Amino acid sequence: MSTIDFRTAIRDAIAAEMERDERVVFFGEDVAIAGGVFKATPGLHERFGEERVFDTPISELALSGAAYGAAITGLRPIIEIMFGDFMALPMDALVNQAAKFFYISNEQGTVPLVVRCAVGGGGRFGAIHSQIPGTWFQGVPGLKIVAPSSPGEALGLLRGAIRDENPVIFLEHKRLYSVKGEASPEEVIPIGRARIARAGEDVTIVSIMKGVGDALAAAEDLAAEGISAEVVDLRSLRPLDLDTVLASVAKTNRVLLVEEGPRTGGWSTGLLGAISESGLHDLDDAWILATAEYPIPYSPPLEDAFMPDAAAIAATVRERLGAGVAR
Amino acid sequence: MHRLFLKGEVHGTTHLYSGQEAVAVGVCAALTQGDWVAGTYRGHGHALAAGTDPAGLAAEMLGRATGVCGGRAGSMNVIDLEHGLLGCYGIVGAGMGAVLGAALSGRRTGKVAVAFFGDGATNQAYFHESLNFAQVLGLPIVFVCENNLYGEFTPLAASTAGGDIAGRAKAYAMNAEKVDGNDLWAVRDAAAAAVERARGGGGPTLLEALTYRHFGHSKSDPGSYRPPEEVEAWLARDPLVIARERLLADGVPVEHVDAAETSAADTLRRAVEAALAAPYPDPATEAAQEFAA
Ligand SMILES: Cc1ncc(C[n+]2csc(CCOP(=O)(O)OP(=O)(O)O)c2C)c(N)n1
């Protein structure tokens, strides 16, 4: 175990996998010489050379098509799409080509590719540099969508994603890049399993990425007031680990889903539906804390009010549970 | 296939390759084992030229369990990795993205990747992004545009600014050539030069093959928007007829040419018969997985 920040965890994961597997290549816009706009990948180009780590033109569609073509012909590409919002441009290569190939080819080949992108609000980047595109892809069979919450999760899950035989969209929340935490360089976390980030009795709070940290902070506050919250870190949106969520709800009987994004078409609405379908008998209460149904604003007070944070999570739990909790 | 389609045996839609045969055959004749090909939704010609088993191809088009993709892909999306067929792409232009990555693999192993696409596809983002990407990275690719003068029902002049597809490569400083797409030998020679250049590290080439489809765009299209004189003039230049005449002129005995034609027709007839006799995949026993383990 060592203490590192999230961006270093990303770089360490790529370096470790490139070290162990010659087939791993990494490319994208400004990722090689400059080391990425969020400085997650400096040094990789020098260490692994131009053949394996290189800069590309500003061509999201071409570089995603290239990753898909490379993956079906024997390489294991990692690409970076600078901001998640730009994932609108390479949709065809990922949704129509990469996601379908394994199935429609009758399993002739696999598509081991990873698309990393920086996502999320809170950075004053405005409406078209702050979205979380995970749910755009969530309804596409064949794609995996991973969303780590801490340096340790980032390192292990990215290593798991690079070893995975399927196309993986790997979401990196911008507000996490400088966050420090414990990470084990050896750990490889398989994709698709949620994690209990904190055990509790009275209510289950489910989130991903930055939302997990916010939920943990809210749980601290609530504990001081005698409310015991369990926090579930989903870690991946597809596959979705419903079993872990249901087991937690069976214990606490209440669930709050915290989503940075609109509830309409969001992962939280789908998950709430699945919880009601399979765990209705365990439910005393269920609700969602999501963002408003308009694009993310730029001005600091507007953006701050827009984003779910620890205070908002704690406040909604307090309000929903009332002053005392019946045990 | 046209007849089977009219009989309702080919489902959904299908896009015939008739009239353009010299392009796929000429280009694939210039490739060697291990090279890659990306076809289009008009991809039966590309698949056959790449070496896909005609019986497996026919069965795939008819949705049968014995199809090269077990009936999961269908007419527009055939994939046959064993023969280097990266896929036939139902999205106009998508094959150009796929070959970029195959060429990244090919750079390590000395293999070349070819993308076939129509004139209409040269207005796609895929075309412009891929040409630039391939040229900047010096990738071993041959981009083969089958200019059959129409994109669906729209003539070239109404869709493609400048009208000169090979000329578009100039903007990217890419090697480019226009070639008679109905002349098998002309296509093969141009492709062989492009493949050799790619393999030798000389980067990508754009070939514009001038050709024509004999039928409408797809099953439901009689192609009546085309002037009859134009259709007639191109039918007279049927690449199969041109190839036959050339072989005879080169002194190949007529019995040999006849035998080759009969044998090809037999192979296709047997392929279709086998496909018609093959079972459909059974949903009850279909062991489909969302993800590869
Ligand atoms: C992205 C996309 N847009 C539209 C279509 C519908 N479509 C199928 S074929 C076609 C015409 C393509 O023309 P061209 O590239 O010239 O190829 P050709 O059919 O002439 O071989 C169109 C518009 C499609 N399949 N994909």
Side-chain angles (χ1 to χ4, degrees):
Chain A
M1 282 282 178
S2 56
T3 301
I4 55 173
D5 60 19
F6 191 94
R7 55 164 57 79
T8 306
I10 298 293
R11 187 187 49 192
D12 288 356
I14 297 174
E17 292 304 310
M18 291 193 85
E19 200 65 68
R20 76 177 267 282
D21 189 342
E22 265 292 309
R23 298 169 299 173
V24 178
V25 294
F26 171 49
F27 54 96
E29 298 159 15
D30 294 322
V31 299
I33 311 285
V37 285
F38 290 98
K39 290 278 171 283
T41 57
L44 294 175
H45 177 255
E46 291 76 359
R47 184 160 158 201
F48 296 101
E50 174 70 18
E51 273 286 304
R52 295 184 66 196
V53 179
F54 53 91
D55 291 317
T56 70
I58 305 166
S59 300
E60 283 75 13
L61 181 61
L63 77 95
S64 302
Y68 155 69
I72 62 173
T73 55
L75 297 179
R76 302 184 76 85
I78 307 164
I79 57 171
E80 178 178 304
I81 298 290
M82 205 179 268
F83 283 78
D85 312 68
F86 310 165
M87 293 287 268
L89 294 156
M91 277 268 187
D92 180 65
L94 302 174
V95 168
N96 286 325
Q97 314 309 334
K100 312 291 195 268
F101 185 85
F102 172 70
Y103 176 78
I104 69 168
S105 73
N106 207 15
E107 305 174 19
Q108 288 175 49
T110 62
V111 191
L113 83 86
V114 177
V115 185
R116 298 177 39 240
C117 59
V119 304
R124 319 308 187 205
F125 284 105
I128 302 163
H129 284 68
S130 303
Q131 295 166 93
I132 300 181
T135 54
W136 303 352
F137 296 94
Q138 206 185 358
V140 181
L143 288 181
K144 293 189 177 183
I145 304 162
V146 175
S149 62
S150 70
E153 300 301 307
L155 207 161
L157 286 169
L158 185 50
R159 293 193 71 175
I162 298 167
R163 292 189 197 189
D164 200 282
E165 291 298 328
N166 303 281
V168 180
I169 292 171
F170 193 86
L171 308 174
E172 300 168 13
H173 200 291
K174 297 185 208 75
R175 304 318 313 148
L176 295 180
Y177 277 124
S178 299
V179 166
K180 287 190 169 49
E182 295 269 285
S184 151
E186 308 310 326
E187 195 183 8
V188 178
I189 306 177
I191 290 166
R193 274 180 237 146
R195 162 183 82 103
I196 305 296
R198 176 193 173 110
E201 306 291 329
D202 301 326
V203 58
T204 297
I205 308 175
V206 182
S207 198
I208 53 172
M209 300 191 288
K210 173 181 167 291
V212 175
D214 292 341
L216 287 170
E220 268 312 302
D221 283 358
L222 293 166
E225 299 158 27
I227 298 173
S228 164
E230 177 145 309
V231 177
V232 177
D233 178 359
L234 280 179
R235 300 203 292 199
S236 109
L237 293 179
R238 189 176 188 108
L240 197 58
D241 181 359
L242 186 60
D243 290 346
T244 298
V245 175
L246 287 174
S248 177
V249 172
K251 189 166 92 170
T252 64
N253 308 124
R254 297 179 189 87
V255 66
L256 163 62
L257 308 176
V258 180
E259 172 158 12
E260 185 187 323
R263 69 165 66 212
T264 308
W267 59 261
S268 56
T269 14
L271 181 55
L272 191 54
I275 295 168
S276 340
E277 188 180 35
S278 306
L280 194 59
H281 49 284
D282 288 325
L283 271 186
D284 289 338
D285 197 3
W287 75 107
I288 289 172
L289 180 63
T291 59
E293 301 280 338
Y294 46 77
I296 188 164
Y298 163 72
S299 175
L302 295 181
E303 187 182 37
D304 291 346
F306 187 89
M307 299 272 290
D309 61 7
I313 295 169
T316 168
V317 172
R318 256 183 233 116
E319 181 196 336
R320 204 77 181 196
L321 266 57
V325 178
R327 295 264 165 106
Chain B
M1 274 305 152
H2 193 53
R3 277 195 302 276
L4 286 171
F5 196 81
L6 297 175
K7 283 202 298 270
E9 289 287 351
V10 181
H11 313 276
T13 189
T14 195
H15 310 77
L16 299 176
Y17 196 63
S18 312
Q20 304 186 192
E21 295 90 342
V23 186
V25 174
V27 170
C28 290
L31 299 177
T32 56
Q33 183 80 30
D35 289 335
W36 290 291
V37 166
T40 66
Y41 45 83
R42 204 179 293 295
H44 327 133
H46 307 132
L48 288 173
T52 295
D53 166 35
L57 179 66
E60 189 60 35
M61 293 177 71
L62 270 53
R64 306 304 165 118
T66 51
V68 270
C69 300
R72 291 178 178 186
S75 168
M76 280 196 276
N77 299 298
V78 175
I79 297 163
D80 181 10
L81 283 186
E82 193 191 331
H83 294 98
L85 185 69
L86 299 176
C88 294
Y89 290 85
I91 294 287
V92 168
M96 288 183 262
V99 297
L100 297 174
L104 288 171
S105 296
R107 253 197 332 206
R108 290 188 176 193
T109 53
K111 299 302 180 192
V112 170
V114 173
F116 292 98
F117 51 91
D119 45 287
T122 65
N123 298 315
Q124 279 285 14
Y126 265 126
F127 175 81
H128 296 281
E129 290 198 14
S130 298
L131 257 64
N132 182 64
F133 193 104
Q135 182 71 13
V136 165
L137 273 74
L139 296 176
I141 294 176
V142 186
F143 294 102
V144 181
C145 177
E146 305 185 75
N147 182 356
N148 60 16
L149 303 178
Y150 291 85
E152 234 165 52
F153 320 130
T154 307
L156 183 71
S159 67
T160 305
D164 176 12
I165 289 161
R168 290 185 165 190
K170 285 203 192 92
Y172 304 104
M174 185 182 291
N175 286 297
E177 196 181 329
K178 273 194 211 302
V179 55
D180 179 350
N182 284 20
D183 178 342
L184 180 55
W185 284 262
V187 174
R188 194 217 31 212
D189 291 349
V195 166
E196 192 184 311
R197 174 159 51 233
R199 225 186 286 286
T205 301
L206 171 65
L207 292 183
E208 178 185 356
L210 298 161
T211 186
Y212 202 72
R213 55 170 152 77
H214 286 175
F215 294 90
H217 168 68
S218 62
K219 91 170 187 201
S220 50
D221 170 28
S224 46
Y225 42 85
R226 306 187 299 183
E229 322 78 71
E230 180 185 286
V231 178
E232 240 166 75
W234 280 97
L235 284 176
R237 298 205 63 246
D238 183 337
L240 299 181
V241 173
I242 293 179
R244 183 184 168 89
E245 283 165 1
R246 161 85 184 250
L247 289 171
L248 295 177
D250 282 359
V252 178
V254 69
E255 314 85 75
H256 289 193
V257 179
D258 286 346
E261 285 183 353
T262 312
S263 141
D266 275 357
T267 303
L268 293 179
R269 189 178 38 77
R270 277 198 304 274
V272 169
E273 278 168 12
L276 284 169
Y280 279 106
D282 180 357
T285 53
E286 160 94 341
Q289 299 291 323
E290 177 183 358
F291 293 118

